[in-house]
Structure formats: structure tokens, C-alpha cells
Amino acid sequence: MMKSQSPAPRLGGHILVDQLVAHGVQHVFCVPGESYLAVLDGLHDVAINVTVCRQEGGAAMMADAHGKLTGQPGICIVTRAPGASNAMAGIHIAHQDSTPLIMFVGQIGRGMRERDAFQEMDYRAVFGTQAKWATEIDQIERIPEIVSRAFHIATSGRPGPVVIALPEDMLTEYASVADAPHYQLVETSPTQAQLTQLGEQLAQAKQPIAILGGSRWNAQAVEQFGDFAKRYQLPVTVQFRRQMLFPTNHPNFVGDLGLGSNPALIQYIRDADLVLLVGGRMSEIASQSYTLLDIPVPKQNLVHVHPDSAELNRVYRANLAINVSPIAFADAVMHVKPSRTPAWAAAGQALRDSNLNWRDPSRIQHPGALQMGQVMSYLESHLPEDAILCNGAGNYATWLHRFHQFKHFGTQLAPTSGSMGYGLPASVGAKRIYPDRTVICFAGDGCFMMHGQEFATAVQYQLPIVVILIDNGMYGTIRMHQERHYPARISGTALNNPDFAAYAEAFGGHGERVETTEQFAPAFERALASGKPAIVHCLIDPETISPTTTLAKIRQQALASKA
């Protein structure tokens, strides 16, 4: 019997790249560094799209966007300590948002450890609390093993980030080693007893609601759960920045559960007798600072569906805990049929009517010549349904979250972690993955400047994203809270901004300046028609701090309460 021939010896950096190919990677986001030149050399000869970014935080956020849109681990590669430190914001987003992501970090040579060498860092210690797994590859022969493990860890249970350090000298060694096979996602299914119990609890309920969140969804699961909700006439809400998990035009959609939610929705959940929580963790924002469900035992019957057993009964004791992914659950409940006519249809319809009224932008009037309600009405009538909407953090995002109609999975990129600066790199990552789809970045003036340099990346790769930049000359969210707690004492929140239209043109993009409602539509259309990355610089009245109030009103209320 002839023995199989051993693979030819390969450079460590090339072995690593070959593992990415074996696991189906098509995109890598990076900032180059001398610590991993052998990996860059390996990328030269494979069919992987490499996006060179301007800052490691942007690269990690682009990888996070990839993970959110595809369900496959986003890949970023960064250099030693300063580069890895820059990327921490993206790792934190992937951790809190349950996004599969793998970050490879160049590392000092193994013989220099613990001497405080140039850019030395202990990656296990630094990233250990933020990553699902942080490790270092000491032996070249173990590259296939460790990379395979990384893909499985990043995608299993509650997905999240993995950080792998790559010693520079290890990457330049040679070894004869076989590639690992493509990773296999492990799925489980609910038992028949669990499905029967779910059906019984729904049959007994008088005011149930489903709350959708988390990751490990896909377009088919969203459609299947929509069919299930329709059969049961079940009201459905989505958690903070998870709006693409249920169509806003579905007859059972009753709004989103986040910051500034419809008060009628909040009250409905407080009064509910059954909560079906699918995929989410019901953390601080969705739970309205942990007030909607009692801890540890909610007064509502709680059915909690989550792919990670460690999250079940961690904070809230469930009446029924089902350890499966939303994909597997949505497929299974297709076969669950109502045992009686639901008794809550009228209450659900009243809540839906309230939501439609709450989300009507034509009702909104605020100070200033540029009316954001009318801007949102225009966008709703002109954007394609598969447009991808991206944003970071700030009060400006309220306009998008409250008034945009998310109708399809894969159309939203937003950090549940509340990380500023996310929108621009996310839009670059999205357009890199889906060049034929419209990609819009909503950004505030403070948020944009956190990663504004990635506009250069959009220009470099000819990615015609459109940035709607809402400028009120301040860190608006912080100023809002400042006025509530320390009224009329402005400190540390004012901004002096550039001409952002000129900024876009300086990079080789298209720029527009908008000061009135009438100027927005033609400016936006010119931006789209330019075929270039574009910034539509929208100047709004600083008093317009949200759709429902002004800075002056907040200040007056705060002063009155202190009188």
C-alpha cells in the first residue's frame, strides 16, 4: 500500500492564507505591518479581495459588517500593539453584537518575549475579556488546527470575535502540513416536547409578544418566523438595532425596542403575560435599563430561545429555555399550528396602529430650515428596498431607526454596543461585499470624524457610498444628557467642524452642502448620480436634538426640577 505524499513545504504566512482559502474567505480587511509581511505575500497569489484600510479600528469594523451581513466570520489583519489597540473598538462591537469575526495580529519574534520588546503585547491578556478566544500560534505545524478552531468558535453558540497572534519568526518558517477542511457550523433542533410546550403556552396566553434579537439569523429564518407570527396573529417587536430581523410592513410588526421607543409598546410588554424572546439577550437598551422583565424571575411567562446555553437563565429565569439558533427555531415552528383562535388580535392591531402613527415622519416639526422628517419621507419613497443603511452612535441615528422602513434581512448595519464611528467603515465594508447595492451611511458630525479617514478607502476602491452627514456642531447625545443633569453649563461638547462637502472633494469624492429641506432631494440625487463616494453635508438647527424635543425644553425642564 502506497503512502500518501506529504504536502510540499510552505512558508508559514502562506500556510495561514491557504487556511483562509480552505474556509471560504473571500474578503480580508487590513492595515499592513512589517510584522506579517509573509501573510501579505501569501495574499498576493490567491483569489481573496484585500481591502487596505486607513486605521485598524476601521478594518475591524468592516470585518464586523461582513460578519453581520453574511453570517460568516469577517477577517481583519492588523499589526503589533498600536495596530491591535486601534482595533479594540471593533472587537468590542463584535463581542456585544454577537458577530463572528477573526482578527489576526502580527507579533514580535518568539525569542524576544517578556523583554518589553518593540511593540510587545500579551494578546491573551489584553483581549481575553473581549474575545471568545485569544491565543498565539507558537508552532507553524499548528496553523491549520488553530485557524480551524477559530472559525468554529467564532460561529458557534453565541458568535463573537477571536484574536490570534502570529509571531513574526513563525510566519517565516517552512513546514509540510495539510490544510484543514472547511469549518462546519453545528446546529441543534428544538425537541418535540419543547414545541408542544410552546404551543400550549401560546394557547393559554392573553397578551403575548415576540421579541427578536441577536445574530445567527438569515433571510429564510426571517421569512419563516414572519409566517409563524401571521398564523398566530402574534405581535412582534425587534431589539435595539436589530430592525432587519422582521419586516416593518408585516401585519404583525409593532415597533422596535430600543432608545426612544413608542411608550405604548413599552407598556404593552410590561402588561404582557407571555414573552417569546428569540435570539436576543434582553440586555440594557432593549430592557429599558433592566426594567421590562423582573430579575431573576419575570412576571411574564418567558420562553427564551438562544443558541448559547450559557445565555439561557443567565439573567432571566425562563419558563421554557430552548437552546437552538434562530435559524433552527424558525424552521421548527413552521410546523406549530394554533390550537385555538388567538384572543389578542384586537390588542395587537391597536398596538400596530399606534406604531404606524409613531413612525409617521410627516407629523414631525422641529426648529430650523432643514426638516429631517421630510428628509426621511423622501428617502423612504426613493431608496430601493434592498439598500443597506449604516450608522454609528448619536442622536442623529434616531431619525433612521424610527422612520426608516426595514423590510429585508441584510439591510442594516448598526452597533448595538453604541460605538461611534461605525457607520462609515461599515458602509465601505458593505459596498465592498455587495457592489451592486445602494449603501447609505448616516453619520453625525462627531461620529463621522471618529473614522472619517476611511472615506479615502471608499475612493481608493471606487465604492460609491453616500454619506448623509447630519451636523449640529456638537456631541449631541452628550449635550442632551448634560442639559438634563447640569442645565445651562455647557462643557466639553461643542465642535468646530470642517466643510464636509469640501472634505469629500479633497479625497476625490463628491460633496454637497444642504441647509434647507428643498435642497436635500436634488443634492442627494446628484450624489447618487456622481458615481463617486459622496458626502451630503446636512446642517441642522442645534436645537433639534431629537424628533420629540429640543435642547431648550430639556434645559427648562431640568431647571424647573431643581428650583
Side-chain angles (χ1 to χ4, degrees), residues 483-503:
E483 293 286 2
R484 283 175 176 162
H485 297 286
Y486 305 96
R489 293 177 59 82
I490 302 169
S491 176
T493 51
L495 295 174
N496 184 15
N497 289 319
D499 180 340
F500 286 108
Y503 179 101

Side-chain angles (χ1 to χ4, degrees), residues 382-438:
H382 287 79
L383 288 178
E385 287 192 0
D386 69 345
I388 302 173
L389 280 296
C390 314
N391 65 271
N395 272 29
Y396 73 87
T398 305
W399 297 103
L400 175 60
H401 294 333
R402 180 167 170 179
F403 299 115
H404 181 61
Q405 305 296 317
F406 291 95
K407 298 176 182 177
H408 300 281
F409 181 81
T411 57
Q412 182 181 33
L413 289 172
T416 70
S417 65
S419 184
M420 292 182 71
Y422 180 84
L424 180 60
S427 64
V428 173
K431 193 68 173 177
R432 194 80 164 113
I433 301 166
Y434 298 117
D436 296 330
R437 291 173 64 179
T438 300

Side-chain angles (χ1 to χ4, degrees), residues 25 43-44 59 61 66 98 116 131 155 175 321 342 476 485 489 535:
V25 171
L43 288 167
H44 183 274
M61 292 175 190
H66 180 283
S98 305
D116 198 17
T155 56
H485 297 286
R489 293 177 59 82
I535 295 175

Side-chain angles (χ1 to χ4, degrees), residues 219-512:
Q220 181 178 351
V222 169
E223 182 178 354
Q224 288 175 325
F225 193 88
D227 291 341
F228 167 75
K230 190 178 296 184
R231 288 200 308 275
Y232 274 89
Q233 300 180 46
L234 181 65
V236 179
T237 181
V238 289
Q239 291 189 344
F240 181 55
R241 295 180 170 174
R242 301 293 192 183
Q243 290 157 288
M244 69 178 186
L245 299 183
F246 201 79
T248 55
N249 60 347
H250 191 284
N252 298 94
F253 180 71
V254 294
D256 65 291
L257 190 57
L259 296 170
S261 295
N262 183 358
L265 172 61
I266 301 299
Q267 191 58 50
Y268 185 96
I269 297 172
R270 292 192 195 282
D271 297 336
D273 59 352
L274 173 63
V275 171
L276 172 59
L277 175 58
V278 183
R281 297 179 292 116
M282 208 62 179
S283 54
E284 180 184 355
I285 302 301
S287 69
Q288 310 298 298
S289 296
Y290 298 102
T291 63
L292 281 185
L293 304 181
D294 291 344
I295 298 172
V297 182
K299 66 178 183 180
Q300 305 93 334
N301 287 334
L302 175 62
V303 177
H304 192 180
V305 179
H306 200 281
D308 197 324
S309 61
E311 294 296 337
L312 294 169
N313 298 314
R314 177 183 177 184
V315 179
Y316 308 99
R317 181 65 183 267
N319 299 87
L320 174 60
I322 304 177
N323 182 205
V324 298
S325 73
I327 292 174
F329 181 74
D331 184 65
V333 295
M334 289 290 291
H335 309 292
V336 177
K337 307 293 184 183
S339 59
R340 65 177 179 84
T341 303
W344 52 80
Q349 184 58 48
L351 185 56
R352 174 161 172 76
D353 292 342
S354 174
N355 173 62
L356 291 173
N357 186 56
W358 177 256
R359 297 171 63 89
D360 180 3
S362 67
R363 299 173 54 249
I364 303 300
Q365 293 292 320
H366 57 76
L370 177 57
Q371 292 292 308
M372 287 302 300
Q374 294 183 47
V375 167
M376 293 309 302
S377 293
Y378 168 82
L379 292 173
E380 290 310 296
S381 63
H382 287 79
L383 288 178
E385 287 192 0
D386 69 345
I388 302 173
L389 280 296
C390 314
N391 65 271
N395 272 29
Y396 73 87
T398 305
W399 297 103
L400 175 60
H401 294 333
R402 180 167 170 179
F403 299 115
H404 181 61
Q405 305 296 317
F406 291 95
K407 298 176 182 177
H408 300 281
F409 181 81
T411 57
Q412 182 181 33
L413 289 172
T416 70
S417 65
S419 184
M420 292 182 71
Y422 180 84
L424 180 60
S427 64
V428 173
K431 193 68 173 177
R432 194 80 164 113
I433 301 166
Y434 298 117
D436 296 330
R437 291 173 64 179
T438 300
V439 178
I440 307 295
C441 167
F442 266 72
D445 46 335
C447 185
F448 177 85
M449 290 299 286
M450 294 284 183
H451 282 291
Q453 68 270 36
E454 299 303 343
F455 194 80
T457 307
V459 172
Q460 178 172 343
Y461 293 96
Q462 301 178 22
L463 305 173
I465 61 172
V466 177
V467 180
I468 298 175
L469 199 158
I470 303 169
D471 180 0
N472 61 0
M474 69 180 79
Y475 286 118
T477 303
I478 312 306
R479 175 69 180 281
M480 177 183 69
H481 291 299
Q482 191 172 63
E483 293 286 2
R484 283 175 176 162
H485 297 286
Y486 305 96
R489 293 177 59 82
I490 302 169
S491 176
T493 51
L495 295 174
N496 184 15
N497 289 319
D499 180 340
F500 286 108
Y503 179 101
E505 292 172 356
F507 280 95
H510 180 87
E512 295 280 350

